[in-house]
Amino acid sequence: MELSILLLIFGSSEQFRRVKAIKNTLRGRRTVSNLYWALQYGMLDFVDALHGVDFDSDEAALNQLQTHGLVKADDSFQFQLTEAGIAKKQQLLSELLPIKHLALGSQYDVAKFMRRFNFAVQIVSEYSYSNNKYYPQSINYFEDQLLKRWFVQTKDYDLPHQFHDLLDTFLSSLNSDDLAVIFAQSLVGHGYSGLTVDQIAAEHHLDPTIINIQLIQMYGALLELVLKRPQDNSFVMLTAGLEKPVIAKSSKETFEMFVRQGNGNLNEIAKKRHIKLTTVYEHLLEAAILLPVNQFPYHDLIRSKMRQYLETIHNENVENWSFEAAQKEMPNLTFFEFRLFQIYRSKSADEN
């Protein structure tokens, strides 16, 4: 995908944003730094939404946008949209479903569901023509076995008719003939090999990156439709194992140990878990960023004196706070407490 297009979609005219932070958020690089900036950019719902996607280089993407006057940037690869950039962003968004439909990729492996469903369509299409001699799509062994089990369990329940009804309901819900056609063109079936993203893009006069995003959005919407159906529906097996954890497993273990412990001794947690104290800090910061503000014990981790001081100096633009400046006023202030308070203020503002 073209990174420049995604930078426009997730860029801002009011805030300089880091190219790498946006890219790493979408790819699911879950460092505390990336998650923190995702919070500041309002992108937490899109963490890992484009898992495994390849992008072009940061410098090339930024240079392209600057050349066309769409952004202004500094030497540290931070950028802000110009008026022309805002107009281009609106044009791109008009070609997509509401951007919220991309966010499901943060909760579920939509790309895997896309591969499963497309293969399932081929299987059912050939089955409806009583054809058992065809070249199946390439898919890994475990997915292949899941699809075989699914077909054996559901083929006697008028599967072609059920598929027709599901697709009819879904494509109608898009309220867009163009999107419905694009979705159908991507499928593989009896006597039809489907079109590639580049072929679809050429036919519809759109950038291939936009087609890719449209497909991810549409499959996310289709996945939501299947998930809302009764658990005994014929398509439920296609959704098995797709859910992603909100917090990384190791971070969750550290956070839950802290909650159970009750005494706030982080050194004890580090010793019991055989990890460094700095890793404990990172795990707790991840939990603070990703959990609702009322589910994280901020007051147990920020000393009251430090909290009172930070309350007196805080301003609206918390991402611009300087730890060095704050530490000069309070030498005992730790970066862990400082960052926690930034997270608390940001999430409190968002949830209010």
Side-chain angles (χ1 to χ4, degrees), residues 147-337:
L147 267 295
K148 285 179 179 178
R149 291 197 304 274
W150 164 78
F151 180 64
V152 168
Q153 292 179 22
T154 58
K155 67 179 182 178
D156 294 331
Y157 295 95
D158 197 7
L159 198 53
H161 180 72
Q162 289 195 53
F163 246 91
H164 179 275
D165 286 350
L166 175 66
L167 286 171
D168 184 59
T169 299
F170 168 65
L171 295 175
S172 298
S173 73
L174 295 175
N175 297 314
S176 168
D177 290 345
D178 288 340
L179 288 175
V181 169
I182 287 169
F183 186 91
Q185 287 176 325
S186 72
L187 300 175
V188 175
H190 182 76
Y192 182 70
S193 59
L195 300 182
T196 67
V197 166
D198 287 341
Q199 289 171 331
I200 296 172
E203 182 169 324
H204 293 268
H205 307 290
L206 292 171
D207 191 281
T209 294
I210 292 297
I211 298 297
N212 271 312
I213 296 173
Q214 287 176 339
L215 288 172
I216 292 170
Q217 287 184 311
M218 286 191 282
Y219 274 97
L222 177 59
L223 175 57
E224 282 190 294
L225 177 62
V226 173
L227 290 170
K228 288 177 181 177
R229 294 193 166 198
Q231 284 299 300
D232 60 350
N233 76 82
S234 297
F235 309 101
V236 67
M237 190 181 292
L238 300 180
T239 71
L242 296 179
E243 191 169 1
K244 298 178 181 179
V246 175
I247 303 173
K249 181 180 177 181
S250 188
S251 298
K252 183 180 180 182
E253 289 176 5
T254 297
F255 175 68
E256 290 178 345
M257 183 177 288
F258 174 79
V259 172
R260 290 195 306 270
Q261 180 195 57
N263 62 16
N265 191 328
L266 302 188
N267 283 297
E268 184 180 321
I269 292 175
K271 185 177 180 180
K272 286 182 177 179
R273 294 218 59 217
H274 305 290
I275 57 179
K276 296 178 180 178
L277 181 61
T278 53
T279 303
V280 174
Y281 291 152
E282 290 171 0
H283 288 175
L284 293 175
L285 287 171
E286 179 180 342
I289 292 169
L290 295 173
L291 290 174
V293 69
N294 61 357
Q295 292 183 20
F296 190 88
Y298 293 92
H299 291 351
D300 294 338
L301 288 163
I302 306 173
R303 289 169 290 176
S304 59
K305 187 176 181 180
M306 300 300 176
R307 187 171 66 250
Q308 289 168 10
Y309 167 70
L310 292 168
E311 290 278 6
T312 63
I313 67 167
H314 87 272
N315 54 58
E316 295 301 320
N317 298 316
V318 295
E319 73 271 14
N320 295 326
W321 290 0
S322 166
F323 171 64
E324 290 75 15
Q327 196 178 43
K328 285 181 180 178
E329 298 291 329
M330 295 200 75
N332 292 328
L333 177 67
T334 66
F335 182 75
F336 176 63
E337 290 174 298

